[in-house]
Amino acid sequence: MKKALIVSLLLLAWVPGRCQFFRNVDDWLMRRQARQVYDTTYIYRPQTRWLVRTKSFFFGENITLIAGGGEAGANGYGFRIGNGFNYKQTIGGGYRNLAFDVGFMPFGKRSSADFSIKVYGNRIGVKAEGALCYGFSGRATALGHSYDVKPGDVVAMYGMVNAYYAFNGGRFSMPAAMTQSYFQRRSAGSLLAVVSVRAMPVTVLDEAIREMQMERAFCALAGAGLGYGYNWVPSRHWLVHACLNETVGIWNAAAMSIQGYEKEFRRESPIFVTAGSFALLYYYRKWYFGMYADFDNMLFLGEDKLSMIMGRTKSSANLTVGIRF
C-alpha cells in the first residue's frame, strides 16, 4: 500500500508537470506563428492551429551522356536514358508552424532511393537532395551500333544543395506558392540570388553494354546565378506563381572513362543549371486547392562541344488539397 501510494503521488506530480511542458511548447509555437515581420498588406502567415493535406506527385528524370561526337554517331559513344513516369501519394498534417507528410507509391516499381529536405522562407530558402537511381532504360550507341539499356544496366548517383535569397522577400513570398505556409495578399515579384553545389557520377554495370566501352562519367559544380520570381494575385481566391533562374558553375569538373582512357575537363567550359517553377492555387474559405510544377536541368558541354556532353533533367508536378482549422 505504501508503494502504491508513493507511485500514485509521483504520477499526480508528473502529469501536471508534463501538461505544463506541452503548454509552454504550444505558447512558444503560437508566439512564433503570430510574428508578422513582413509587410502584411502583401504577405500574411495563417494563424490557424491545425492543417490536414494531401499531395499527388508525378515525376521523371532523364540523363544524356555523349562522347566523341555531337550525336554519338559513327565515331561517338553515348546513351539517352530515363526512368519513365513515377507517381507518389502523400498524406500529411501540421500543427501551427510544424508540418509532416508520409508518402507511398500506389503502383509501379521504384526506380530510385532518394531523400529531400526543403526549407522555404520569404527571404532565404534551402533545398538539399540526394538520390541513387537504378531504374533507367533507353538506348545506347557506340561507333554506329545501337544497344538496349534495361533497368539496372546503368546506375547514377546525384547530390545537390541549392539556396536562394529574395531581395524583395518582405513582399514576395516563395513559400506561399511552394508550401502554402503563407498567403500572398497582393501581387509582388523579386530578384533572386541563387547558389548551387551538386555532383553526379554515372556508372555502366552491364557487361553487354560495356561493349560500347564507356564505363563511367562524372561531373560536379559549385556555382552562382540570378533569377526572378513573381506571384500574381488577381483576386483573394487565386494565386499564380512563376519563377526562372540560371546558375553558372564558377568551379566545375568533369571526367569520363572510355576504353580505359580517363579524360578530365576542368574550367574548359562552364556547367549550366536552368531551373523554373509554376504554381496555380485557389482558396475557398478554409480550403486550398493547388497545382505545382517545376523542372531542373543541368548541362555540361566539353571544350569543343563534341568531346563530351552530359546532361540531367528532372521534372515534377503535383496536385495538392488542404484545409486549415
mmCIF file with all atom_site columns, all heavy atoms in Angstrom, residues 115 127-130 158-162 196-199 296 312:
data_model
loop_
_atom_site.group_PDB
_atom_site.id
_atom_site.type_symbol
_atom_site.label_atom_id
_atom_site.label_alt_id
_atom_site.label_comp_id
_atom_site.label_asym_id
_atom_site.label_entity_id
_atom_site.label_seq_id
_atom_site.pdbx_PDB_ins_code
_atom_site.Cartn_x
_atom_site.Cartn_y
_atom_site.Cartn_z
_atom_site.occupancy
_atom_site.B_iso_or_equiv
_atom_site.pdbx_formal_charge
_atom_site.auth_seq_id
_atom_site.auth_comp_id
_atom_site.auth_asym_id
_atom_site.auth_atom_id
_atom_site.pdbx_PDB_model_num
ATOM 1   N N   . PHE A 1 115 ? 16.231 11.123 -50.964 1.00 0.00 ? 115 PHE A N   1
ATOM 2   C CA  . PHE A 1 115 ? 15.745 11.925 -49.858 1.00 0.00 ? 115 PHE A CA  1
ATOM 3   C C   . PHE A 1 115 ? 15.740 13.383 -50.297 1.00 0.00 ? 115 PHE A C   1
ATOM 4   O O   . PHE A 1 115 ? 16.451 13.781 -51.229 1.00 0.00 ? 115 PHE A O   1
ATOM 5   C CB  . PHE A 1 115 ? 16.627 11.760 -48.611 1.00 0.00 ? 115 PHE A CB  1
ATOM 6   C CG  . PHE A 1 115 ? 17.956 12.474 -48.707 1.00 0.00 ? 115 PHE A CG  1
ATOM 7   C CD1 . PHE A 1 115 ? 18.087 13.792 -48.282 1.00 0.00 ? 115 PHE A CD1 1
ATOM 8   C CD2 . PHE A 1 115 ? 19.066 11.831 -49.238 1.00 0.00 ? 115 PHE A CD2 1
ATOM 9   C CE1 . PHE A 1 115 ? 19.304 14.446 -48.374 1.00 0.00 ? 115 PHE A CE1 1
ATOM 10  C CE2 . PHE A 1 115 ? 20.287 12.480 -49.324 1.00 0.00 ? 115 PHE A CE2 1
ATOM 11  C CZ  . PHE A 1 115 ? 20.409 13.799 -48.891 1.00 0.00 ? 115 PHE A CZ  1
ATOM 12  N N   . LYS A 1 127 ? 17.332 23.922 -50.314 1.00 0.00 ? 127 LYS A N   1
ATOM 13  C CA  . LYS A 1 127 ? 16.855 22.598 -50.713 1.00 0.00 ? 127 LYS A CA  1
ATOM 14  C C   . LYS A 1 127 ? 18.055 21.680 -50.869 1.00 0.00 ? 127 LYS A C   1
ATOM 15  O O   . LYS A 1 127 ? 19.019 21.995 -51.563 1.00 0.00 ? 127 LYS A O   1
ATOM 16  C CB  . LYS A 1 127 ? 16.079 22.668 -52.024 1.00 0.00 ? 127 LYS A CB  1
ATOM 17  C CG  . LYS A 1 127 ? 15.601 21.313 -52.519 1.00 0.00 ? 127 LYS A CG  1
ATOM 18  C CD  . LYS A 1 127 ? 14.646 21.458 -53.696 1.00 0.00 ? 127 LYS A CD  1
ATOM 19  C CE  . LYS A 1 127 ? 15.317 21.957 -54.944 1.00 0.00 ? 127 LYS A CE  1
ATOM 20  N NZ  . LYS A 1 127 ? 14.423 21.922 -56.117 1.00 0.00 ? 127 LYS A NZ  1
ATOM 21  N N   . ALA A 1 128 ? 17.993 20.514 -50.212 1.00 0.00 ? 128 ALA A N   1
ATOM 22  C CA  . ALA A 1 128 ? 19.046 19.506 -50.315 1.00 0.00 ? 128 ALA A CA  1
ATOM 23  C C   . ALA A 1 128 ? 18.424 18.207 -50.789 1.00 0.00 ? 128 ALA A C   1
ATOM 24  O O   . ALA A 1 128 ? 17.374 17.794 -50.291 1.00 0.00 ? 128 ALA A O   1
ATOM 25  C CB  . ALA A 1 128 ? 19.741 19.313 -48.976 1.00 0.00 ? 128 ALA A CB  1
ATOM 26  N N   . GLU A 1 129 ? 19.055 17.562 -51.766 1.00 0.00 ? 129 GLU A N   1
ATOM 27  C CA  . GLU A 1 129 ? 18.539 16.316 -52.326 1.00 0.00 ? 129 GLU A CA  1
ATOM 28  C C   . GLU A 1 129 ? 19.683 15.346 -52.555 1.00 0.00 ? 129 GLU A C   1
ATOM 29  O O   . GLU A 1 129 ? 20.816 15.735 -52.848 1.00 0.00 ? 129 GLU A O   1
ATOM 30  C CB  . GLU A 1 129 ? 17.818 16.546 -53.655 1.00 0.00 ? 129 GLU A CB  1
ATOM 31  C CG  . GLU A 1 129 ? 16.521 17.315 -53.541 1.00 0.00 ? 129 GLU A CG  1
ATOM 32  C CD  . GLU A 1 129 ? 15.814 17.445 -54.880 1.00 0.00 ? 129 GLU A CD  1
ATOM 33  O OE1 . GLU A 1 129 ? 16.427 17.094 -55.909 1.00 0.00 ? 129 GLU A OE1 1
ATOM 34  O OE2 . GLU A 1 129 ? 14.654 17.892 -54.902 1.00 0.00 ? 129 GLU A OE2 1
ATOM 35  N N   . GLY A 1 130 ? 19.375 14.066 -52.431 1.00 0.00 ? 130 GLY A N   1
ATOM 36  C CA  . GLY A 1 130 ? 20.318 13.009 -52.763 1.00 0.00 ? 130 GLY A CA  1
ATOM 37  C C   . GLY A 1 130 ? 19.566 11.825 -53.330 1.00 0.00 ? 130 GLY A C   1
ATOM 38  O O   . GLY A 1 130 ? 18.420 11.563 -52.931 1.00 0.00 ? 130 GLY A O   1
ATOM 39  N N   . TYR A 1 158 ? 23.259 11.107 -57.345 1.00 0.00 ? 158 TYR A N   1
ATOM 40  C CA  . TYR A 1 158 ? 23.071 12.542 -57.500 1.00 0.00 ? 158 TYR A CA  1
ATOM 41  C C   . TYR A 1 158 ? 22.935 13.183 -56.133 1.00 0.00 ? 158 TYR A C   1
ATOM 42  O O   . TYR A 1 158 ? 22.240 12.669 -55.262 1.00 0.00 ? 158 TYR A O   1
ATOM 43  C CB  . TYR A 1 158 ? 21.810 12.819 -58.329 1.00 0.00 ? 158 TYR A CB  1
ATOM 44  C CG  . TYR A 1 158 ? 21.627 14.274 -58.689 1.00 0.00 ? 158 TYR A CG  1
ATOM 45  C CD1 . TYR A 1 158 ? 22.435 14.869 -59.654 1.00 0.00 ? 158 TYR A CD1 1
ATOM 46  C CD2 . TYR A 1 158 ? 20.673 15.054 -58.062 1.00 0.00 ? 158 TYR A CD2 1
ATOM 47  C CE1 . TYR A 1 158 ? 22.284 16.199 -59.981 1.00 0.00 ? 158 TYR A CE1 1
ATOM 48  C CE2 . TYR A 1 158 ? 20.512 16.398 -58.390 1.00 0.00 ? 158 TYR A CE2 1
ATOM 49  C CZ  . TYR A 1 158 ? 21.327 16.954 -59.352 1.00 0.00 ? 158 TYR A CZ  1
ATOM 50  O OH  . TYR A 1 158 ? 21.182 18.274 -59.676 1.00 0.00 ? 158 TYR A OH  1
ATOM 51  N N   . GLY A 1 159 ? 23.628 14.299 -55.948 1.00 0.00 ? 159 GLY A N   1
ATOM 52  C CA  . GLY A 1 159 ? 23.517 15.055 -54.715 1.00 0.00 ? 159 GLY A CA  1
ATOM 53  C C   . GLY A 1 159 ? 23.617 16.539 -55.000 1.00 0.00 ? 159 GLY A C   1
ATOM 54  O O   . GLY A 1 159 ? 24.386 16.968 -55.879 1.00 0.00 ? 159 GLY A O   1
ATOM 55  N N   . MET A 1 160 ? 22.825 17.327 -54.297 1.00 0.00 ? 160 MET A N   1
ATOM 56  C CA  . MET A 1 160 ? 22.873 18.771 -54.525 1.00 0.00 ? 160 MET A CA  1
ATOM 57  C C   . MET A 1 160 ? 22.378 19.531 -53.300 1.00 0.00 ? 160 MET A C   1
ATOM 58  O O   . MET A 1 160 ? 21.606 19.021 -52.491 1.00 0.00 ? 160 MET A O   1
ATOM 59  C CB  . MET A 1 160 ? 22.026 19.170 -55.735 1.00 0.00 ? 160 MET A CB  1
ATOM 60  C CG  . MET A 1 160 ? 20.540 19.176 -55.500 1.00 0.00 ? 160 MET A CG  1
ATOM 61  S SD  . MET A 1 160 ? 19.643 19.998 -56.826 1.00 0.00 ? 160 MET A SD  1
ATOM 62  C CE  . MET A 1 160 ? 17.996 20.066 -56.125 1.00 0.00 ? 160 MET A CE  1
ATOM 63  N N   . VAL A 1 161 ? 22.836 20.774 -53.201 1.00 0.00 ? 161 VAL A N   1
ATOM 64  C CA  . VAL A 1 161 ? 22.332 21.733 -52.231 1.00 0.00 ? 161 VAL A CA  1
ATOM 65  C C   . VAL A 1 161 ? 22.125 23.043 -52.974 1.00 0.00 ? 161 VAL A C   1
ATOM 66  O O   . VAL A 1 161 ? 23.083 23.578 -53.567 1.00 0.00 ? 161 VAL A O   1
ATOM 67  C CB  . VAL A 1 161 ? 23.297 21.938 -51.048 1.00 0.00 ? 161 VAL A CB  1
ATOM 68  C CG1 . VAL A 1 161 ? 22.755 22.995 -50.091 1.00 0.00 ? 161 VAL A CG1 1
ATOM 69  C CG2 . VAL A 1 161 ? 23.529 20.628 -50.310 1.00 0.00 ? 161 VAL A CG2 1
ATOM 70  N N   . ASN A 1 162 ? 20.910 23.543 -52.985 1.00 0.00 ? 162 ASN A N   1
ATOM 71  C CA  . ASN A 1 162 ? 20.569 24.821 -53.621 1.00 0.00 ? 162 ASN A CA  1
ATOM 72  C C   . ASN A 1 162 ? 20.079 25.792 -52.562 1.00 0.00 ? 162 ASN A C   1
ATOM 73  O O   . ASN A 1 162 ? 19.472 25.392 -51.564 1.00 0.00 ? 162 ASN A O   1
ATOM 74  C CB  . ASN A 1 162 ? 19.465 24.644 -54.667 1.00 0.00 ? 162 ASN A CB  1
ATOM 75  C CG  . ASN A 1 162 ? 19.949 23.924 -55.904 1.00 0.00 ? 162 ASN A CG  1
ATOM 76  O OD1 . ASN A 1 162 ? 21.152 23.779 -56.120 1.00 0.00 ? 162 ASN A OD1 1
ATOM 77  N ND2 . ASN A 1 162 ? 19.026 23.459 -56.706 1.00 0.00 ? 162 ASN A ND2 1
ATOM 78  N N   . SER A 1 196 ? 24.403 27.060 -56.000 1.00 0.00 ? 196 SER A N   1
ATOM 79  C CA  . SER A 1 196 ? 24.168 25.629 -56.151 1.00 0.00 ? 196 SER A CA  1
ATOM 80  C C   . SER A 1 196 ? 25.480 24.874 -56.079 1.00 0.00 ? 196 SER A C   1
ATOM 81  O O   . SER A 1 196 ? 26.493 25.291 -56.654 1.00 0.00 ? 196 SER A O   1
ATOM 82  C CB  . SER A 1 196 ? 23.472 25.348 -57.485 1.00 0.00 ? 196 SER A CB  1
ATOM 83  O OG  . SER A 1 196 ? 23.205 23.961 -57.630 1.00 0.00 ? 196 SER A OG  1
ATOM 84  N N   . VAL A 1 197 ? 25.459 23.752 -55.347 1.00 0.00 ? 197 VAL A N   1
ATOM 85  C CA  . VAL A 1 197 ? 26.569 22.803 -55.303 1.00 0.00 ? 197 VAL A CA  1
ATOM 86  C C   . VAL A 1 197 ? 25.979 21.440 -55.602 1.00 0.00 ? 197 VAL A C   1
ATOM 87  O O   . VAL A 1 197 ? 25.032 21.009 -54.943 1.00 0.00 ? 197 VAL A O   1
ATOM 88  C CB  . VAL A 1 197 ? 27.265 22.804 -53.930 1.00 0.00 ? 197 VAL A CB  1
ATOM 89  C CG1 . VAL A 1 197 ? 28.379 21.764 -53.909 1.00 0.00 ? 197 VAL A CG1 1
ATOM 90  C CG2 . VAL A 1 197 ? 27.806 24.182 -53.595 1.00 0.00 ? 197 VAL A CG2 1
ATOM 91  N N   . ARG A 1 198 ? 26.511 20.747 -56.610 1.00 0.00 ? 198 ARG A N   1
ATOM 92  C CA  . ARG A 1 198 ? 25.949 19.444 -56.986 1.00 0.00 ? 198 ARG A CA  1
ATOM 93  C C   . ARG A 1 198 ? 26.986 18.573 -57.657 1.00 0.00 ? 198 ARG A C   1
ATOM 94  O O   . ARG A 1 198 ? 27.995 19.075 -58.184 1.00 0.00 ? 198 ARG A O   1
ATOM 95  C CB  . ARG A 1 198 ? 24.728 19.626 -57.890 1.00 0.00 ? 198 ARG A CB  1
ATOM 96  C CG  . ARG A 1 198 ? 24.981 20.406 -59.152 1.00 0.00 ? 198 ARG A CG  1
ATOM 97  C CD  . ARG A 1 198 ? 23.673 20.554 -59.960 1.00 0.00 ? 198 ARG A CD  1
ATOM 98  N NE  . ARG A 1 198 ? 22.728 21.444 -59.303 1.00 0.00 ? 198 ARG A NE  1
ATOM 99  C CZ  . ARG A 1 198 ? 21.437 21.533 -59.652 1.00 0.00 ? 198 ARG A CZ  1
ATOM 100 N NH1 . ARG A 1 198 ? 20.940 20.754 -60.595 1.00 0.00 ? 198 ARG A NH1 1
ATOM 101 N NH2 . ARG A 1 198 ? 20.635 22.385 -59.049 1.00 0.00 ? 198 ARG A NH2 1
ATOM 102 N N   . ALA A 1 199 ? 26.741 17.268 -57.631 1.00 0.00 ? 199 ALA A N   1
ATOM 103 C CA  . ALA A 1 199 ? 27.639 16.298 -58.255 1.00 0.00 ? 199 ALA A CA  1
ATOM 104 C C   . ALA A 1 199 ? 26.817 15.120 -58.756 1.00 0.00 ? 199 ALA A C   1
ATOM 105 O O   . ALA A 1 199 ? 25.802 14.762 -58.152 1.00 0.00 ? 199 ALA A O   1
ATOM 106 C CB  . ALA A 1 199 ? 28.705 15.829 -57.272 1.00 0.00 ? 199 ALA A CB  1
ATOM 107 N N   . ASP A 1 296 ? 14.349 21.043 -63.453 1.00 0.00 ? 296 ASP A N   1
ATOM 108 C CA  . ASP A 1 296 ? 15.739 21.347 -63.137 1.00 0.00 ? 296 ASP A CA  1
ATOM 109 C C   . ASP A 1 296 ? 16.599 20.675 -64.193 1.00 0.00 ? 296 ASP A C   1
ATOM 110 O O   . ASP A 1 296 ? 16.546 19.449 -64.359 1.00 0.00 ? 296 ASP A O   1
ATOM 111 C CB  . ASP A 1 296 ? 16.083 20.834 -61.735 1.00 0.00 ? 296 ASP A CB  1
ATOM 112 C CG  . ASP A 1 296 ? 17.502 21.176 -61.323 1.00 0.00 ? 296 ASP A CG  1
ATOM 113 O OD1 . ASP A 1 296 ? 18.442 20.467 -61.741 1.00 0.00 ? 296 ASP A OD1 1
ATOM 114 O OD2 . ASP A 1 296 ? 17.683 22.150 -60.578 1.00 0.00 ? 296 ASP A OD2 1
ATOM 115 N N   . ARG A 1 312 ? 21.374 16.304 -67.295 1.00 0.00 ? 312 ARG A N   1
ATOM 116 C CA  . ARG A 1 312 ? 20.352 15.674 -66.464 1.00 0.00 ? 312 ARG A CA  1
ATOM 117 C C   . ARG A 1 312 ? 19.162 16.613 -66.368 1.00 0.00 ? 312 ARG A C   1
ATOM 118 O O   . ARG A 1 312 ? 19.318 17.799 -66.088 1.00 0.00 ? 312 ARG A O   1
ATOM 119 C CB  . ARG A 1 312 ? 20.883 15.390 -65.064 1.00 0.00 ? 312 ARG A CB  1
ATOM 120 C CG  . ARG A 1 312 ? 19.803 14.930 -64.070 1.00 0.00 ? 312 ARG A CG  1
ATOM 121 C CD  . ARG A 1 312 ? 20.357 14.906 -62.670 1.00 0.00 ? 312 ARG A CD  1
ATOM 122 N NE  . ARG A 1 312 ? 19.379 14.480 -61.683 1.00 0.00 ? 312 ARG A NE  1
ATOM 123 C CZ  . ARG A 1 312 ? 18.588 15.319 -61.003 1.00 0.00 ? 312 ARG A CZ  1
ATOM 124 N NH1 . ARG A 1 312 ? 18.653 16.628 -61.229 1.00 0.00 ? 312 ARG A NH1 1
ATOM 125 N NH2 . ARG A 1 312 ? 17.715 14.861 -60.109 1.00 0.00 ? 312 ARG A NH2 1
#
